Amino acid sequence: MRLLPTSPDTRRLLAALCCTAILVVAPTSRAGHEVSYYPSFYPQEIRIETLDPAVAARELAGNTLQAYIGSDPGFSGTPPAHLKTFASLHSFVTATINPHSAKLANHDVRCAAIARASDALAKRADLVAHPYPVTPYHADYVGHADRGSGSASSRNAAGGGTMVYRAGDGTETVLAAGAAQHATDWDVRLDEVLIEDVLRRAHAGLGMWPRVPWAKEGWFQAYHLLRGALSDPGDAADADMLYQRLVRRQFDSTAEQINLGRGLVTALTHGCDAQVIAYGTKREYYSDEFSNGIENIAGDSQAGFGSALFVRTVKLKDFPWNGWLRVGMAKQAAARQVMGGWNPVAGFTDPSGRLTWATVGDDAFLPVPYNSRLVANRVEMIDPEDPKSRQSVLIPSDAWAPDPATGRLIKAAPGQGATAMVTYRVSASSFHDGTAMEPADLLYPYALAVRWSAGQAGDTAFDSEVAAATRLMRERFRAARVVRVDERTLTLADLTFTYRSPVIEVYLNSPTAEEQDNGPVAPPWSSVPWHVLALMEAAVERGIAAFSQSEAARRNLPWLDLVREPAQRDKLVELVNEFARTGYRPAALQELVNADAARTRWEALARFVGDSKHLLVTNGPYKLTSWSPEAVVFDVIREFTYPIGLGTFDPFAYPPRALITGMERSGDDVIVTADVEIWMKQQRNRRATRTALKRETMRETYAIRAETQYAVIADDGTVADAGIATWRTDGRFTLSLPKLPPGGYRLLMAVFLDGNAVEPDIGRFEFRSQ
């Protein structure tokens, strides 16, 4: 049961057939459905070049560059009209009190000093004054929208003191000098903390590991941004307790969930040890020029153009498919110039590395660009409403589970149970070295995560960053069982293609409906074949390199890099050749892979590295073809073994936005009306149009899906009620107010169209309950 191999001649024939506009019917990743299918995504080549901002500005203006990723190139004058921008959350600005400053020991004085720090940045045009860590770019903003408007008042702020500003690139500036004159002797420090650094602190979205479902929510990022500054043990204990309740989903209602998030932020900021005083956005330019521009843009609210869905939707205007996409990327400032290792286990932490993984990797689920959910990519849940996914079950004896001490995959012990079982269908495909995905590839990441997390600091087979990144997955996962492998065939002329879809049951502990529906934490998947993962493990065991930056520093080893370090590559090639001779397979797979199959894998990898000069093998839609300090180049995988095709993620481009136009009370009900802003295509351009939101309103060929979120907040700041409104047939929304204790209340409500929760227009309605 393998994907039928295709020769280079066959691949060329397939490309020719596609390019002559023959539409082929082939299965997609959703079983039981067939659609017109053209493999992979739009550009045939993606070239990412490191460019200075001034150079990027000239090339964007001259239509020789389609986009500039990571920052604003800084035009000296008004940018040309054909250039458009995409805005995303870039950073937080925090004000932190020096815990050793005697003059700031008093709570009120600390709060006043932070308010003064807020005023110090008031004239920064690139920052938004916002003394609260949950911003309009966070998916949970509606529940916090009554907080954080404007800047903190400094009317009672004490004068004097040394204030230091540390920018996102690591450079420091003394903003205000008191008795001290040096940046190292400070009273208040202002830090611009990049979103990518906050997520790295949280070990969220590290390489190949599943991202926690709440990674883009404000309470989660606030905890990892501010928790380290807390000096009061009571505040710290409260923050930890509330955080754990949120990540363990220990709440019974939406109102309770929002109150936990609001309480967490209060605990983090109560002592005025550190507070968010502003946030920064980044504007990334792209060309909308009639011929040489790009379209079908799906940028991410927090990652911008450095996201997997941008790569999977962006399209060159002059090509219905194919074409050469050339984008620039800002050079890192000297203070941030630590070149990260490029490996899928704990590398890809620098900007170019993250974009490389977004391009060549192919995660089971991908982050939706404008909310905190995930969308199925290579793995989908089968019947998530099956009662077994919500109840305790017995783990069958033919399921595989990693041994807690060694990570070795063994059959589940009799009588073991789990609190839920979820069934997944996997869209398998060939890896870039020509090997076919097998069940061992899907199960091996579970073993790797357990093995490299089972020890403790100092052990050779332990990595603290891997342990942190996989904690939730390991807490939830119990075992996995390969139920069957479904096959479908496609015949085209004299060619036959076989598509394989393993069906796998995953047994879990304490998953919630939210995790299963919006963000599965332990799907059976790997975008990297088991033999490449085993090669990396062997390299770490033998002291060639370390998975993560922290472990590399601790062991005084290089950071493992599969692409850019020739000396490491030579040592890894020696291992590949050794393993090809011996038919090596790791201990975890002794019962799943035999020596002959392993030898075939290593031989294929040896051929791949000989041709490609690197070891970054995945089964993604693009493969890395060349790398230099100046440019990274990727070629598309345009063959029918790849199971996802053009247009799969197009609905995420240009999301509509709702604008509240009216809120009125009718008895115990509140009636809400809204308009919709849609980007409509006119020839090769798009124009924003606004119209009343009705049930029949469309955005081009897509029917608009409306969701709502509301919160009723009492005068004491607690959320008394929260939920969703009903979308009526006449296009209006209705919510019924519960019986509330006497007092004043504020109703906050937003409408999310097609899931677009970014910068929501918040409807506000004040009322009293008698």
Side-chain angles (χ1 to χ4, degrees), residues 331-340:
K331 292 182 178 179
Q332 291 191 62
R336 290 180 57 86
Q337 207 126 56
V338 177
M339 188 168 76

Side-chain angles (χ1 to χ4, degrees), residues 282-302:
K282 64 182 175 186
R283 295 185 305 161
E284 294 175 299
Y285 279 85
Y286 67 95
S287 173
D288 192 43
E289 199 269 336
F290 188 84
S291 294
N292 296 318
I294 56 176
E295 59 184 348
N296 213 37
I297 307 299
D300 188 89
S301 60
Q302 296 184 15

Side-chain angles (χ1 to χ4, degrees), residues 246-258:
L246 282 162
V247 298
R248 292 172 180 167
R249 319 319 273 171
Q250 294 173 344
F251 45 79
D252 296 324
S253 66
T254 302
E256 185 180 8
Q257 179 183 12
I258 295 173

Side-chain angles (χ1 to χ4, degrees), residues 419-442:
T419 58
M421 182 271 289
V422 182
T423 305
Y424 293 94
R425 178 177 284 108
V426 176
S427 294
S429 68
S430 297
F431 293 103
H432 295 166
D433 64 358
T435 57
M437 173 174 274
E438 301 289 350
D441 298 297
L442 303 174

